[in-house]
Amino acid sequence: MIAHINGRMVEKNPTSIVVDCGGVGYQLHISLHTFSNLPQTENVKLYTHLLVKEDAHTLYGFVEQFEREIFRLLISVSGVGAGTARTMLSSLTPNQIKEAIALNDVATIQSVKGIGAKTAQRVILDLKDKIIKVYALDDVLSQSSNTNKDEALSALETLGFLRKQAEKACDKVIKENPDATVETIIKLALKNL
């Protein structure tokens, strides 16, 4: 019903903002991703999604259309509500979510607070085909399906390192040595952790 709102931002919090549009203040619930990308100026344009329930009408705002598309895909999954989708978009960027779904990366989706293994698997199962079809992801799939990296990551996780830190370290190693073996990736990543 409401596709976007263009107006003056009169209130700004990490979880919501109020936009004055023709004398009416619209409260929009936002993710941390949108919060960090809000312009410094008072005038803003946010893409919106209106969620209507029997007890409330809630307006969600997004700085970019792509984030709104990912939000809509996420809430289409059984068991994922608007709150969970917003938490996912606050913990991960829309691109990270898109790639995690395309690459069957259950661990990344499960790293979001409140998402269990079953929900993460359901998100991937329900959305993988849509994501691959809508966003031509052949290049992402070939580039990211580095099995040496995956093995090194699981080894580092077993050693007790957090996945995000281990992934950064592994990515750095692979950038410098694209053909590194699993052992090399682990050794060099350990130096960076």
Side-chain angles (χ1 to χ4, degrees):
M1 183 179 149
I2 301 172
H4 72 268
I5 286 190
N6 200 346
R8 192 168 60 86
M9 184 168 39
V10 292
E11 207 176 296
K12 178 181 173 183
N13 301 305
T15 57
S16 69
I17 64 168
V18 175
V19 177
D20 184 320
C21 203
V24 178
Y26 291 92
Q27 182 181 28
L28 296 117
H29 295 271
I30 58 172
S31 67
L32 289 176
H33 175 75
T34 288
F35 179 74
S36 61
N37 289 306
L38 283 171
Q40 297 303 314
T41 60
E42 274 189 347
N43 290 327
V44 293
K45 177 180 180 179
L46 289 177
Y47 298 96
T48 59
H49 178 82
L50 178 64
L51 193 66
V52 179
K53 291 186 175 176
E54 35 187 82
D55 59 342
H57 289 216
T58 312
L59 199 56
Y60 290 88
F62 308 94
V63 153
E64 54 199 22
Q65 284 181 305
F66 176 59
E67 184 184 7
R68 180 176 65 178
E69 289 170 28
I70 295 293
F71 177 83
R72 286 176 171 168
L73 284 172
L74 289 171
I75 62 173
S76 73
V77 176
S78 171
V80 177
T84 304
R86 185 169 68 159
T87 302
M88 287 178 77
L89 287 163
S90 293
S91 304
L92 305 165
T93 67
N95 269 323
Q96 287 174 319
I97 293 172
K98 175 186 78 172
E99 288 177 16
I101 292 169
L103 299 168
N104 288 327
D105 188 353
V106 176
T108 296
I109 292 173
Q110 207 177 330
S111 72
V112 176
K113 188 177 186 276
I115 302 259
K118 284 184 179 174
T119 305
Q121 288 166 347
R122 193 177 315 118
V123 166
I124 290 171
L125 189 68
D126 288 4
L127 300 181
K128 185 174 181 177
D129 290 342
K130 291 178 189 171
I131 292 269
I132 290 173
K133 213 176 280 179
V134 175
Y135 310 102
L137 287 181
D138 298 335
D139 54 333
V140 174
L141 293 172
S142 62
Q143 161 211 331
S144 299
S145 62
N146 185 333
T147 53
N148 287 353
K149 176 188 164 188
D150 294 341
E151 286 181 40
L153 265 177
S154 66
L156 289 167
E157 280 184 287
T158 306
L159 291 171
F161 292 100
L162 293 174
R163 182 170 182 87
K164 283 185 179 179
Q165 292 173 328
E167 196 158 13
K168 278 183 186 173
C170 288
D171 286 340
K172 186 178 177 187
V173 171
I174 290 169
K175 202 176 213 178
E176 295 166 5
N177 312 318
D179 300 322
T181 63
V182 177
E183 293 80 16
T184 309
I185 294 172
I186 294 170
K187 283 178 189 172
L188 295 174
L190 282 170
K191 289 179 183 175
N192 295 323
L193 288 168

